[in-house]
């Protein structure tokens, strides 16, 4: 990679690190250490392909996809154990209601299968369509639709009406 | 390059569904995710970028090594006329590590567009490996296939070095066009990164783990020296015979930090640098041997 490309990459990484981190925190159900690892992995992989980024119309969206795939790869490798979810760093102590919402939501997300979580994050956090979610996860629209319905049902059963109450606060 | 790094993720088109309880829940979930997600702030954003950059460099090194392993396997097939078991499957260090990635020939530092002619004749893979081995301290060295200065990818030397306390993989890459990696403001636990300016260039020493999540105890230590002339020397080492898939053979990689520093700034690398084409954009007058390592 030439120097100018490296600088462009570093600019990109500086802008996208925080959004990637937020997505990673949701995927990792609040495990901020894992989230940092996932962002590092994602930015690392973006560096590797940066020379070919001219062919990718939207590197920001591409990076989000890389992040989700890195998360799923990580989950496959570590299938048995995950660090405690919904870890509350200091910043969480600031807003009481948001902190409760966050713990409740992340706990519930953490009880879903990793791929279900990935689907919900792509669909409802990143606002991806069924087709885009399917492409990101190397799946089919039908499979994603089924998985979405199933994951939503589990989440609803888990959260009951608490989500509506929490976001109304 | 038509890239807009500020461009946000493309919003999906809204799907036309009847308004049901599920729709309401989907709306609530979206709102809850935004509220929860937006409360997360990275503690050290610059550190994340720096870590990602260092990790990317390491990933690319693996892929470069994988290309060499692949070439070595084909060479054996060619000579024997038949597949000789094992080589193509990845006894080679990088072959296993980087299998999912396609080799990106364009990523090599020496391949960045039209170039000035090298100052000196090429070094073969063997000569480049011998140059690296001559810089190592006393110990047993098992050489692996490398690359010379005559290919599109940067020259690579890879050996398993044993100082008597256990074998460790050590490799070296030389090329042009890399910016010196930034160290994070705060090192992640168990890692360290230092940058100093020596011999008119920039030296970065990184001590970390093969896997960011440390699921295995394999450590990687890496020294990168960007010379005043714009050339880059990378030396990496592990406390195992392979980057991945081999048991840890010693507590730390075999070369100490001072040895890494000495090797990566060794003036004899200039012989390899002079054999590389100077990428366009670098002033060739600043690149020759007099620009570096006079001590």
């Amino acid at each position: 990679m030439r120097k100018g490309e490296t600088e462009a990459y570093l600019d990109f990484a500086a802008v996208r690190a925080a959004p990637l981190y937020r997505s990673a925190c949701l995927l990792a159900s609040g495990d901020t250490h894992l989230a940092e690892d996932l962002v590092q992995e994602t930015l690392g992989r973006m560096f590797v392909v940066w020379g070919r980024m001219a062919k990718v119309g939207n590197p920001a969206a591409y990076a989000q996809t890389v992040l989700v795939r890195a998360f799923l790869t990580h989950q496959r490798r570590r299938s048995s154990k995950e660090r405690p979810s919904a870890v509350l760093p200091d910043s969480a102590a600031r807003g009481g209601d948001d902190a409760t919402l966050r713990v409740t939501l992340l706990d519930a997300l953490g009880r879903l299968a990793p791929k279900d979580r990935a689907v919900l994050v792509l669909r409802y956090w990143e606002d991806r369509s069924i087709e885009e979610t399917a492409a990101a996860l190397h799946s089919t629209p039908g499979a994603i639709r089924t998985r979405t319905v199933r994951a939503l049902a589990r989440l609803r059963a888990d959260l009951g009406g608490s989500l509506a109450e929490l976001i109304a606060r | 390059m038509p890239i807009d790094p500020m461009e946000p993720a493309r919003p999906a088109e809204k799907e036309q569904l009847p308004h049901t309880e599920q729709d309401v829940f989907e709306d609530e979930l979206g709102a809850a995710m935004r509220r929860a997600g937006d409360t997360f702030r990275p503690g050290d954003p610059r550190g994340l970028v720096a870590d990602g950059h260092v990790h990317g460099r390491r990933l690319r090194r693996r892929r470069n090594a994988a290309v060499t392993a692949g070439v070595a396997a084909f060479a054996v097939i060619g000579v024997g006329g038949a597949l000789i078991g094992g080589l193509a499957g990845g006894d080679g260090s990088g072959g296993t590590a980087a299998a999912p990635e396609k080799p990106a020939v364009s990523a090599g530092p020496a391949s960045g567009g039209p170039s000035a002619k090298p100052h000196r004749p090429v070094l073969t893979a063997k000569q480049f490996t011998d140059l690296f081995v001559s810089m190592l301290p006393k110990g047993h060295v098992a050489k692996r296939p490398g690359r010379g200065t005559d290919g599109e990818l940067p020259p690579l030397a890879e050996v398993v070095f044993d100082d008597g306390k256990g074998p460790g993989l050590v490799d070296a890459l030389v090329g042009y066009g890399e910016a010196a990696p930034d160290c994070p403001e705060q090192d992640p636990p168990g890692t360290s990164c230092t940058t100093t300016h020596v011999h008119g260039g920039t030296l970065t020493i990184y001590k970390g783990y093969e896997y960011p999540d440390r699921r295995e105890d394999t450590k990687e230590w890496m020294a990168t020296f960007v010379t005043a002339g714009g050339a880059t020397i990378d030396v990496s080492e592990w406390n195992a015979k392979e980057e991945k898939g081999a048991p840890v053979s010693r507590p730390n990689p075999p070369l100490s930090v001072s040895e890494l520093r000495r090797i990566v700034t060794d003036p004899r690398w200039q012989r390899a640098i002079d054999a590389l084409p100077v990428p366009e954009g670098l002033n060739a007058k600043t690149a020759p041997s007099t620009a570096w390592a006079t001590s």
Side-chain angles (χ1 to χ4, degrees), chain B residues 44 47 51 183-194 205-207:
Chain B
D44 177 14
D51 283 348
C183 285
E185 282 182 1
Q186 271 190 315
D187 293 323
T191 72
S192 72
C193 184
T194 58
I205 305 274
Y206 167 81
K207 293 167 72 178

Side-chain angles (χ1 to χ4, degrees), chain B residues 93 96-97 210-211 216 218 240-248:
Chain B
S93 56
T96 308
E210 174 66 19
Y211 299 95
E216 289 179 21
T218 314
K241 288 171 77 172
E242 310 284 352
E243 284 184 47
K244 293 175 185 294
V248 165

Side-chain angles (χ1 to χ4, degrees), chain A residues 94-118:
Chain A
R94 290 199 301 265
D97 290 343
D98 276 351
T100 310
L101 168 69
R102 178 156 89 169
V103 170
T104 307
L105 177 67
L106 295 177
D107 268 349
L109 285 174
R111 283 190 283 273
L112 295 176
K115 200 160 186 179
D116 287 355
R117 216 183 306 162

Side-chain angles (χ1 to χ4, degrees), chain A residues 1-14 47 50, chain B residues 1 5 49 53 177-180 182:
Chain A
M1 191 186 288
R2 279 176 282 183
K3 201 163 185 173
E5 288 183 351
T6 301
E7 285 165 3
Y9 161 81
L10 290 172
D11 288 344
F12 168 84
F47 179 78
W50 192 252
Chain B
M1 190 161 61
V49 173
H53 186 200
E178 293 287 347
D182 290 324

Side-chain angles (χ1 to χ4, degrees), chain B residues 78-153:
Chain B
V79 170
L83 179 65
I84 296 173
L87 277 172
D91 115 292
S93 56
T96 308
E101 297 276 0
K102 287 182 186 173
V105 172
S106 63
S111 62
S115 306
K117 284 187 176 177
H119 299 283
R120 289 195 193 176
V122 299
L123 285 177
T124 64
K126 180 180 181 307
Q127 288 170 326
F128 185 72
T129 300
D130 288 344
L131 177 66
F132 179 43
V133 169
S134 72
M135 300 174 191
L136 294 172
K138 277 189 180 176
H140 180 263
V141 173
K143 296 177 189 173
R144 292 191 170 173
R147 282 194 303 264
T149 60
D150 50 350
E152 278 203 81
L153 288 165

Side-chain angles (χ1 to χ4, degrees), chain A residues 68-136:
Chain A
V68 173
R69 289 180 185 164
F71 163 71
L72 291 174
T73 301
H74 176 274
Q75 293 299 308
R76 276 196 297 277
R77 285 176 176 156
R78 286 180 65 114
S79 55
S80 56
K81 53 188 173 183
E82 189 167 87
R83 282 171 276 191
S85 65
V87 173
L88 282 177
D90 294 342
S91 58
R94 290 199 301 265
D97 290 343
D98 276 351
T100 310
L101 168 69
R102 178 156 89 169
V103 170
T104 307
L105 177 67
L106 295 177
D107 268 349
L109 285 174
R111 283 190 283 273
L112 295 176
K115 200 160 186 179
D116 287 355
R117 216 183 306 162
V119 167
L120 294 187
V121 168
L122 284 169
R123 294 279 288 119
Y124 302 107
W125 162 257
E126 292 185 23
D127 223 6
R128 302 270 189 111
S129 69
I130 291 276
E131 288 72 20
E132 288 166 338
T133 303

